[in-house]
Coordinates of all heavy atoms in Angstrom, one line a residue:
M1 N -4.4 -5.5 39.3 CA -5.8 -5.2 39.2 C -6.4 -5.6 37.8 O -5.8 -5.2 36.8 CB -6.0 -3.7 39.4 CG -7.4 -3.2 39.2 SD -7.3 -1.4 39.5 CE -9.0 -1.0 39.2
T2 N -7.4 -6.3 37.8 CA -8.0 -6.8 36.6 C -9.0 -5.8 36.0 O -9.9 -5.3 36.8 CB -8.8 -8.1 36.8 OG1 -7.9 -9.1 37.3 CG2 -9.4 -8.6 35.5
V3 N -8.9 -5.4 34.8 CA -9.8 -4.5 34.1 C -10.8 -5.3 33.3 O -10.4 -6.0 32.4 CB -9.1 -3.5 33.3 CG1 -10.1 -2.6 32.5 CG2 -8.1 -2.7 34.1
Y4 N -12.0 -5.2 33.6 CA -13.0 -6.0 32.9 C -13.5 -5.1 31.7 O -13.7 -3.9 31.8 CB -14.2 -6.3 33.8 CG -13.8 -7.3 34.8 CD1 -13.5 -6.9 36.1 CD2 -13.7 -8.7 34.5 CE1 -13.1 -7.8 37.1 CE2 -13.4 -9.6 35.5 CZ -13.0 -9.2 36.8 OH -12.6 -10.1 37.7
P5 N -13.8 -5.7 30.6 CA -14.3 -5.0 29.4 C -15.7 -4.5 29.6 O -16.5 -5.1 30.3 CB -14.2 -6.0 28.3 CG -14.3 -7.3 28.9 CD -13.7 -7.2 30.3
P6 N -16.0 -3.3 29.0 CA -17.4 -2.8 29.1 C -18.3 -3.7 28.1 O -17.8 -4.4 27.3 CB -17.2 -1.4 28.5 CG -16.1 -1.5 27.6 CD -15.1 -2.5 28.2
G7 N -19.5 -3.6 28.3 CA -20.5 -4.1 27.3 C -20.4 -3.4 26.0 O -19.9 -2.2 26.0
S8 N -20.8 -4.0 25.0 CA -20.8 -3.3 23.7 C -21.7 -2.0 23.8 O -22.8 -2.0 24.3 CB -21.3 -4.2 22.6 OG -21.5 -3.5 21.4
P9 N -21.2 -0.9 23.2 CA -22.0 0.3 23.2 C -23.1 0.3 22.1 O -23.8 1.3 22.0 CB -21.0 1.4 22.9 CG -19.8 0.8 22.3 CD -19.8 -0.7 22.8
C10 N -23.2 -0.8 21.4 CA -24.2 -0.9 20.3 C -25.6 -0.7 20.9 O -26.0 -1.2 21.9 CB -24.2 -2.3 19.7 SG -25.4 -2.5 18.4
V11 N -26.4 0.1 20.2 CA -27.8 0.4 20.6 C -28.8 -0.1 19.5 O -30.0 0.3 19.5 CB -28.1 1.9 20.9 CG1 -27.3 2.3 22.1 CG2 -27.7 2.8 19.7
N12 N -28.3 -1.0 18.6 CA -29.2 -1.6 17.6 C -29.8 -0.6 16.6 O -30.9 -0.8 16.1 CB -30.2 -2.5 18.2 CG -29.6 -3.7 18.9 OD1 -28.7 -4.3 18.4 ND2 -30.1 -4.0 20.1
I13 N -29.1 0.5 16.4 CA -29.4 1.4 15.3 C -28.2 1.5 14.4 O -27.4 2.4 14.5 CB -29.7 2.8 15.8 CG1 -30.9 2.8 16.9 CG2 -30.1 3.8 14.7 CD1 -31.1 4.1 17.6
C14 N -28.0 0.4 13.7 CA -26.8 0.2 12.9 C -26.8 0.8 11.5 O -27.1 0.1 10.5 CB -26.5 -1.3 12.9 SG -26.4 -2.1 14.5
T15 N -26.7 2.1 11.5 CA -26.7 2.8 10.2 C -25.4 3.7 10.2 O -25.3 4.5 11.1 CB -27.9 3.6 10.0 OG1 -29.1 2.8 10.1 CG2 -28.0 4.3 8.7
L16 N -24.6 3.6 9.1 CA -23.4 4.4 9.0 C -23.7 5.6 8.2 O -24.4 5.5 7.2 CB -22.3 3.6 8.4 CG -21.8 2.4 9.1 CD1 -20.8 1.7 8.3 CD2 -21.3 2.7 10.5
N17 N -23.2 6.8 8.6 CA -23.3 7.9 7.7 C -22.1 7.9 6.7 O -21.4 6.9 6.6 CB -23.2 9.2 8.6 CG -21.9 9.4 9.3 OD1 -20.9 8.8 9.0 ND2 -21.9 10.3 10.3
D18 N -22.0 9.0 5.9 CA -21.0 9.0 4.9 C -19.6 9.0 5.4 O -18.7 8.7 4.7 CB -21.2 10.3 4.0 CG -22.5 10.3 3.2 OD1 -23.0 9.2 3.0 OD2 -23.0 11.3 2.8
Q19 N -19.4 9.4 6.7 CA -18.1 9.4 7.3 C -17.8 8.0 7.9 O -16.8 7.9 8.7 CB -18.0 10.5 8.3 CG -18.3 11.9 7.8 CD -17.2 12.2 6.8 OE1 -16.0 12.0 7.0 NE2 -17.6 12.8 5.7
R20 N -18.6 7.0 7.8 CA -18.4 5.7 8.3 C -18.5 5.7 9.9 O -17.8 5.0 10.6 CB -17.2 5.0 7.9 CG -17.2 4.7 6.4 CD -16.0 4.0 5.9 NE -14.9 4.9 6.0 CZ -13.7 4.7 5.5 NH1 -13.5 3.6 4.8 NH2 -12.8 5.6 5.5
V21 N -19.4 6.5 10.4 CA -19.7 6.6 11.8 C -21.2 6.1 12.0 O -22.1 6.6 11.3 CB -19.5 8.0 12.3 CG1 -20.0 8.1 13.8 CG2 -18.1 8.5 12.2
C22 N -21.3 5.2 13.0 CA -22.7 4.7 13.3 C -23.6 5.8 13.9 O -23.2 6.5 14.8 CB -22.6 3.5 14.2 SG -24.2 2.8 14.7
L23 N -24.8 5.9 13.3 CA -25.7 6.9 13.8 C -26.2 6.6 15.2 O -26.7 7.4 15.9 CB -26.8 7.1 12.8 CG -26.4 7.6 11.4 CD1 -27.6 7.7 10.5 CD2 -25.7 9.0 11.5
G24 N -26.2 5.3 15.5 CA -26.7 4.8 16.8 C -25.7 5.0 18.0 O -25.9 5.7 18.9
C25 N -24.5 4.3 17.8 CA -23.6 4.3 18.9 C -22.4 5.3 18.8 O -21.6 5.5 19.7 CB -23.0 2.9 19.1 SG -21.9 2.3 17.8
R26 N -22.3 5.9 17.6 CA -21.2 6.9 17.2 C -19.8 6.3 17.1 O -18.9 7.0 17.1 CB -21.2 8.1 18.2 CG -22.5 8.8 18.3 CD -22.5 10.0 17.5 NE -23.7 10.8 17.8 CZ -24.7 10.9 16.9 NH1 -24.7 10.3 15.8 NH2 -25.7 11.7 17.2
R27 N -19.7 5.0 17.1 CA -18.4 4.4 16.8 C -18.1 4.4 15.3 O -19.0 4.4 14.5 CB -18.4 2.9 17.3 CG -18.4 2.7 18.8 CD -18.2 1.3 19.2 NE -19.5 0.6 18.8 CZ -19.6 -0.8 18.8 NH1 -18.5 -1.5 19.2 NH2 -20.7 -1.3 18.5
T28 N -16.9 4.5 15.0 CA -16.4 4.4 13.6 C -16.6 2.9 13.2 O -16.6 2.0 14.0 CB -15.0 4.9 13.4 OG1 -14.1 3.9 14.1 CG2 -14.8 6.3 14.0
L29 N -16.6 2.8 11.8 CA -16.6 1.4 11.3 C -15.4 0.6 11.8 O -15.6 -0.6 12.2 CB -16.7 1.4 9.8 CG -16.7 0.1 9.1 CD1 -18.0 -0.7 9.5 CD2 -16.7 0.3 7.6
A30 N -14.3 1.2 11.8 CA -13.1 0.5 12.3 C -13.2 0.1 13.8 O -12.8 -1.0 14.2 CB -11.8 1.4 12.1
E31 N -13.8 0.9 14.6 CA -14.0 0.6 16.0 C -15.0 -0.6 16.2 O -14.9 -1.4 17.0 CB -14.5 1.8 16.8 CG -13.5 2.9 17.0 CD -14.0 4.2 17.5 OE1 -15.2 4.5 17.4 OE2 -13.2 5.0 18.0
I32 N -16.1 -0.6 15.3 CA -17.1 -1.6 15.4 C -16.5 -2.9 15.0 O -16.6 -4.0 15.7 CB -18.3 -1.3 14.5 CG1 -19.0 0.0 15.0 CG2 -19.2 -2.5 14.4 CD1 -20.0 0.6 14.1
V33 N -15.8 -3.0 13.9 CA -15.2 -4.2 13.3 C -14.2 -4.7 14.3 O -14.1 -6.0 14.5 CB -14.6 -3.9 11.9 CG1 -13.8 -5.1 11.4 CG2 -15.7 -3.6 10.9
G34 N -13.4 -3.9 14.9 CA -12.3 -4.3 15.7 C -12.6 -4.5 17.2 O -11.7 -4.9 18.0
W35 N -13.8 -4.2 17.6 CA -14.2 -4.2 19.0 C -13.8 -5.4 19.8 O -13.2 -5.3 20.8 CB -15.7 -4.0 19.1 CG -16.2 -3.9 20.5 CD1 -16.8 -4.8 21.3 CD2 -16.1 -2.7 21.3 NE1 -17.1 -4.3 22.5 CE2 -16.7 -3.0 22.6 CE3 -15.5 -1.4 21.1 CZ2 -16.7 -2.1 23.6 CZ3 -15.6 -0.5 22.2 CH2 -16.2 -0.8 23.4
T36 N -14.0 -6.6 19.3 CA -13.7 -7.8 20.1 C -12.2 -8.1 20.2 O -11.8 -8.8 21.1 CB -14.4 -9.1 19.5 OG1 -14.0 -9.2 18.2 CG2 -16.0 -8.9 19.6
G37 N -11.5 -7.5 19.3 CA -10.0 -7.7 19.3 C -9.3 -6.7 20.2 O -8.1 -6.8 20.4
L38 N -10.0 -5.7 20.7 CA -9.4 -4.6 21.5 C -9.2 -5.1 22.9 O -10.0 -5.9 23.4 CB -10.2 -3.3 21.5 CG -10.4 -2.7 20.1 CD1 -11.4 -1.5 20.2 CD2 -9.1 -2.2 19.6
S39 N -8.2 -4.5 23.6 CA -8.1 -4.8 25.0 C -9.2 -4.1 25.8 O -9.9 -3.1 25.3 CB -6.7 -4.3 25.5 OG -6.7 -2.9 25.5
A40 N -9.4 -4.5 27.0 CA -10.4 -3.8 27.9 C -10.1 -2.3 28.0 O -11.1 -1.5 28.0 CB -10.5 -4.5 29.2
E41 N -8.9 -2.0 28.1 CA -8.5 -0.6 28.3 C -8.9 0.2 27.0 O -9.3 1.3 27.1 CB -7.0 -0.5 28.6 CG -6.6 -1.0 30.0 CD -6.3 -2.5 30.0 OE1 -6.4 -3.2 29.0 OE2 -6.0 -3.0 31.1
E42 N -8.6 -0.4 25.9 CA -8.9 0.3 24.6 C -10.4 0.4 24.5 O -10.9 1.5 24.0 CB -8.4 -0.5 23.4 CG -6.8 -0.4 23.4 CD -6.3 -1.4 22.3 OE1 -6.8 -2.6 22.3 OE2 -5.4 -1.0 21.6
Q43 N -11.2 -0.6 24.8 CA -12.7 -0.5 24.8 C -13.2 0.6 25.7 O -14.0 1.4 25.3 CB -13.3 -1.8 25.1 CG -13.1 -2.9 24.1 CD -13.7 -4.2 24.5 OE1 -14.0 -4.5 25.7 NE2 -13.8 -5.1 23.5
W44 N -12.7 0.7 26.9 CA -13.1 1.7 27.9 C -12.7 3.1 27.4 O -13.5 4.1 27.5 CB -12.5 1.5 29.3 CG -13.2 0.5 30.1 CD1 -12.8 -0.8 30.4 CD2 -14.6 0.6 30.5 NE1 -13.8 -1.4 31.1 CE2 -14.9 -0.6 31.2 CE3 -15.5 1.6 30.5 CZ2 -16.1 -0.8 31.8 CZ3 -16.8 1.4 31.1 CH2 -17.1 0.2 31.7
R45 N -11.6 3.2 26.7 CA -11.2 4.5 26.1 C -12.2 5.0 25.1 O -12.7 6.1 25.1 CB -9.8 4.5 25.5 CG -9.4 5.8 24.9 CD -8.2 5.7 24.0 NE -8.3 4.8 22.9 CZ -9.0 4.9 21.8 NH1 -9.7 6.1 21.6 NH2 -9.1 4.0 20.9
I46 N -12.7 4.0 24.3 CA -13.7 4.4 23.2 C -15.0 4.7 23.9 O -15.6 5.7 23.5 CB -13.8 3.2 22.3 CG1 -12.6 3.0 21.4 CG2 -15.1 3.4 21.4 CD1 -12.5 1.8 20.6
V47 N -15.4 3.9 24.9 CA -16.7 4.2 25.6 C -16.6 5.6 26.2 O -17.6 6.4 26.1 CB -16.9 3.2 26.7 CG1 -18.1 3.6 27.6 CG2 -17.3 1.8 26.0
E48 N -15.5 6.0 26.8 CA -15.4 7.4 27.4 C -15.4 8.4 26.2 O -16.1 9.5 26.4 CB -14.1 7.5 28.2 CG -14.2 6.8 29.5 CD -15.3 7.3 30.4 OE1 -15.4 8.5 30.6 OE2 -16.1 6.5 30.9
D49 N -14.8 8.2 25.1 CA -14.8 9.1 24.0 C -16.2 9.3 23.4 O -16.5 10.4 23.0 CB -13.8 8.6 23.0 CG -13.5 9.6 21.9 OD1 -13.3 10.8 22.3 OD2 -13.4 9.3 20.7
L50 N -17.0 8.2 23.4 CA -18.3 8.3 22.8 C -19.2 9.3 23.6 O -20.1 9.9 22.9 CB -19.0 6.9 22.9 CG -18.4 5.8 22.0 CD1 -19.1 4.5 22.3 CD2 -18.5 6.2 20.6
K51 N -18.9 9.6 24.8 CA -19.7 10.5 25.6 C -19.6 11.9 25.0 O -20.5 12.8 25.3 CB -19.2 10.5 27.0 CG -19.5 9.2 27.7 CD -19.0 9.2 29.2 CE -19.2 7.9 29.9 NZ -18.7 7.9 31.2
T52 N -18.5 12.2 24.3 CA -18.3 13.6 23.8 C -18.5 13.7 22.3 O -18.4 14.8 21.7 CB -16.9 14.1 24.1 OG1 -15.9 13.2 23.5 CG2 -16.6 14.1 25.6
R53 N -18.8 12.6 21.6 CA -19.0 12.6 20.2 C -20.4 13.0 19.9 O -21.4 12.4 20.3 CB -18.8 11.2 19.6 CG -17.4 10.8 19.6 CD -17.2 9.4 18.9 NE -15.8 8.9 19.1 CZ -15.4 7.8 18.7 NH1 -16.2 7.0 18.0 NH2 -14.2 7.4 18.9
G54 N -20.5 14.1 19.2 CA -21.8 14.6 18.8 C -22.3 14.1 17.4 O -21.6 13.3 16.8
A55 N -23.4 14.6 17.0 CA -23.9 14.2 15.7 C -23.0 14.6 14.5 O -23.1 14.0 13.4 CB -25.3 14.8 15.5
D56 N -22.1 15.6 14.8 CA -21.3 16.1 13.7 C -19.9 15.4 13.7 O -19.0 15.8 13.1 CB -21.1 17.6 13.8 CG -20.5 18.0 15.2 OD1 -20.5 17.2 16.1 OD2 -20.1 19.2 15.3
Y57 N -19.7 14.3 14.5 CA -18.4 13.6 14.7 C -18.0 13.1 13.3 O -18.8 12.5 12.6 CB -18.5 12.5 15.7 CG -17.3 11.7 15.8 CD1 -16.2 12.3 16.5 CD2 -17.1 10.5 15.3 CE1 -15.0 11.6 16.6 CE2 -15.9 9.8 15.4 CZ -14.9 10.3 16.1 OH -13.7 9.7 16.2
V58 N -16.7 13.3 13.0 CA -16.1 12.8 11.7 C -15.1 11.8 12.1 O -14.2 12.1 12.9 CB -15.5 14.0 10.9 CG1 -14.8 13.5 9.7 CG2 -16.6 15.0 10.6
A59 N -15.1 10.7 11.5 CA -14.2 9.6 11.7 C -12.8 10.1 11.2 O -12.7 10.7 10.2 CB -14.6 8.3 11.0
P60 N -11.7 9.7 12.0 CA -10.4 10.0 11.5 C -10.1 9.2 10.2 O -10.7 8.2 9.9 CB -9.5 9.5 12.6 CG -10.3 8.6 13.4 CD -11.7 9.0 13.2
P61 N -9.2 9.7 9.4 CA -8.9 9.0 8.1 C -8.4 7.5 8.4 O -7.8 7.3 9.4 CB -7.7 9.8 7.5 CG -7.7 11.1 8.2 CD -8.4 10.8 9.6
V62 N -8.8 6.6 7.5 CA -8.4 5.2 7.6 C -7.0 5.1 7.2 O -6.6 5.6 6.1 CB -9.3 4.3 6.7 CG1 -8.8 2.9 6.8 CG2 -10.8 4.5 7.2
K63 N -6.2 4.4 8.0 CA -4.7 4.2 7.7 C -4.6 3.0 6.8 O -5.3 2.0 7.0 CB -3.9 4.0 8.9 CG -3.9 5.2 9.8 CD -3.2 5.0 11.1 CE -3.2 6.2 12.0 NZ -2.6 5.9 13.3
G64 N -3.7 3.1 5.8 CA -3.4 1.9 5.0 C -4.0 2.0 3.8 O -4.3 1.8 2.8

């Protein structure tokens, strides 16, 4: 079964808060930068996760 990637969740409100989370789409900076390199499954996981991210979402610590 082929899994097709979702469209980008970007809504063209590209402003990051102090936690490096976009105020428009609620993706973290790492998710935005790495989006095209993610598998379709990983992209869908993020899209599903975005449904539950509120305005108070805090990005996880950056590794490395």
Side-chain angles (χ1 to χ4, degrees):
M1 176 179 179
T2 302
V3 177
Y4 293 96
S8 172
C10 179
V11 294
N12 294 316
I13 303 173
C14 304
T15 303
L16 299 176
N17 65 17
D18 292 339
Q19 299 297 318
R20 294 183 290 194
V21 175
C22 178
L23 299 177
C25 68
R26 302 261 189 254
R27 287 183 293 169
T28 67
L29 180 59
E31 290 168 339
I32 294 166
V33 171
W35 184 256
T36 58
L38 297 173
S39 69
E41 290 86 359
E42 291 169 316
Q43 290 177 346
W44 279 112
R45 182 193 53 76
I46 291 170
V47 168
E48 287 300 311
D49 192 43
L50 293 175
K51 294 177 183 179
T52 61
R53 292 183 186 177
D56 58 346
Y57 179 73
V58 176
V62 176
K63 297 177 184 175

